[in-house]
Amino acid sequence: MQLMQYLEQEIGDRGLDAAVSSTGCLKLCDRGPAVIVYPEGWYYGHIDSEDAMDAVLDSIENGRPDAVHLLSD
């Protein structure tokens, strides 16, 4: 929950046109906490710190996925 609060605060501070919503199980427990960015469809895993969340937010601002946390199957 603290990371969600941090995410909401950072979105506002950065002036991003984005919204945060929580969800149930994404079937990514072994790679969670997870974040999904829409409409891009970027799935990020291991978002367990403010630094990781900042990398996701930077990717949204830059329009390029963050390869470090990006999940792919």
Side-chain angles (χ1 to χ4, degrees):
M1 290 307 294
Q2 289 176 335
L3 282 175
M4 280 189 64
Q5 291 171 341
Y6 178 76
L7 177 58
E8 290 172 338
Q9 181 67 42
E10 282 296 303
I11 285 172
D13 289 350
R14 293 173 183 231
L16 296 173
D17 182 19
V20 176
S21 63
S22 62
T23 184
C25 181
L26 296 172
K27 308 276 190 229
L28 298 172
C29 294
D30 62 328
R31 297 180 272 176
V35 172
I36 304 172
V37 177
Y38 288 113
E40 291 83 355
W42 298 333
Y43 281 65
Y44 291 111
H46 307 290
I47 309 302
D48 54 4
S49 68
E50 290 180 4
D51 288 340
M53 190 64 73
D54 286 340
V56 170
L57 290 167
D58 290 347
S59 75
I60 294 169
E61 285 184 309
N62 298 330
R64 294 183 308 272
D66 168 42
V68 173
H69 298 97
L70 192 65
L71 299 177
S72 60
D73 291 316

